Amino acid sequence: MRFDVITLFPELFAPFMTVGVTRRAFESGQVDVRLWPLRDFASDNYRRVDDRPYGGGPGMVMLAEPLLKALGAVRNARSEAGATAGPVIHFSPTGRPINQALLRELAQGPGATLLCGRYEGIDQRVLDREVDLELSLGDFVLSGGELPALALLDGIARLQEGVLSDARSHEQDSFEDGLLDCPHYSRPEVLALPEGDQPVPPVLLSGHHADIARWRRERSLSLTAQRRPDLIAAARAAGRLSKADERYLATLAL
Ligand code: 9D3
């Protein structure tokens, strides 16, 4: 699949795409990322890409014309390469929150064109004419859409075939089953600390696979109930909680 990224800061992308488990997906072209520096599409001699907002107020607005030119160039390039157009996605604090279901959907499609905003936002007429989907990384304020775009690309890259060595890593991910992940431990068995020793929970050393699975499920349930009660409600509504899960949840003092 192919992603075309329109950004004022293309140099931010390579450092993320050349490290870690996702590197393979990017370098093999499984996830083919093309960068389009927005300033190259500016019309005037100053390479201007922003201006003051009509109606006044603080901050600057990204100009429609460079964005429309860049989007046109991307559309032509995708068409010439025989790539499906795919959706145009704009990253914005007013977008709908990115979640794992959306990443799974995009991971099965032809890719997308990613529009990274800076400043206060982009001219609304570009959104009205060209944008299919507005996405947010969550309810906090960033300085632009590049990190959200990288977050989306990272999440999609790790869903590609052959990226995670153990295929089952997907299924145990937080959110793949709708609950937060359980805690993990590795060597040494006892961590000696000034405040006292911290042993690994004995059940994990017991070799009793059913007991270990039940412990992990219960840790997931209690953590999710404490931190993300909304996810418990969603799992319950989707019929993803067993009778044993419900019995355990009923024992928790929340
Ligand atoms: C004063 C109103 N601000 C909205 C909270 C203006 C504003 C702040 C920051 C407009 C744009 C931005 C830049 N942010 C993004 O481009 C962005 C973003 C974010 O800030 N948080 C979460 N997800 C995203 S996706 C793009």
Side-chain angles (χ1 to χ4, degrees):
M1 73 193 64
R2 168 169 167 162
F3 289 89
D4 292 90
V5 184
I6 299 173
T7 170
L8 281 170
F9 299 107
E11 68 275 17
L12 292 177
F13 286 78
F16 290 88
M17 295 172 20
T18 50
V19 299
V21 292
T22 52
R23 176 177 167 176
R24 170 194 297 277
F26 293 118
E27 291 184 346
S28 71
Q30 245 177 325
V31 180
D32 181 6
V33 176
R34 310 290 176 101
L35 298 166
W36 300 82
L38 182 62
R39 214 169 280 283
D40 293 354
F41 297 90
S43 329
D44 70 343
N45 290 333
Y46 308 101
R47 303 224 297 162
R48 176 155 214 177
V49 293
D50 65 318
D51 206 338
R52 287 153 37 202
Y54 282 128
M60 300 294 269
V61 175
M62 289 179 81
L63 292 171
E65 285 164 316
L67 290 166
L68 294 173
K69 278 191 195 166
L71 285 164
V74 167
R75 184 174 298 117
N76 288 341
R78 286 185 76 99
S79 160
E80 271 186 31
T84 307
V88 175
I89 298 175
H90 173 233
F91 295 98
S92 159
T94 61
R96 71 180 234 235
I98 298 172
N99 61 31
Q100 192 64 23
L102 176 77
L103 292 192
R104 279 194 297 266
E105 225 173 274
L106 289 171
Q108 287 174 340
T113 300
L114 308 182
L115 198 51
C116 304
R118 284 266 153 178
Y119 315 117
E120 286 308 293
I122 81 180
D123 191 304
Q124 182 63 33
R125 293 169 293 185
V126 176
L127 303 179
D128 295 342
R129 281 167 54 163
E130 304 284 351
V131 170
D132 299 302
L133 196 55
E134 290 201 83
L135 297 180
S136 161
L137 202 53
D139 293 338
F140 50 93
V141 183
L142 299 170
S143 359
E146 283 79 10
L147 284 169
L150 278 162
L152 179 125
L153 290 170
D154 180 78
I156 287 171
R158 65 184 288 293
L159 290 177
Q160 300 303 305
E161 204 63 52
V163 168
L164 299 191
S165 46
D166 182 350
R168 287 177 308 171
S169 299
H170 286 316
E171 295 156 29
Q172 291 183 9
D173 279 349
S174 286
F175 305 114
E176 289 286 359
D177 76 347
L179 298 178
L180 302 183
D181 203 2
C182 63
H184 304 284
Y185 295 85
S186 186
R187 294 187 293 176
E189 249 179 70
V190 178
L191 261 193
L193 294 173
E195 302 81 37
D197 290 341
Q198 279 187 316
V200 170
V203 63
L204 297 180
L205 309 173
S206 69
H208 292 117
H209 298 297
D211 288 359
I212 292 169
R214 189 154 57 93
W215 181 87
R216 287 179 169 155
R217 184 71 179 176
E218 290 178 355
R219 295 283 68 70
S220 280
L221 288 164
S222 64
L223 195 65
T224 308
Q226 280 172 40
R227 295 187 183 167
R228 296 292 304 277
D230 58 310
L231 296 180
I232 294 286
R236 184 173 285 138
R240 280 188 266 105
L241 297 183
S242 67
K243 283 188 178 151
D245 290 340
E246 293 289 8
R247 274 197 300 276
Y248 174 72
L249 285 169
T251 69
L252 296 177
L254 303 167

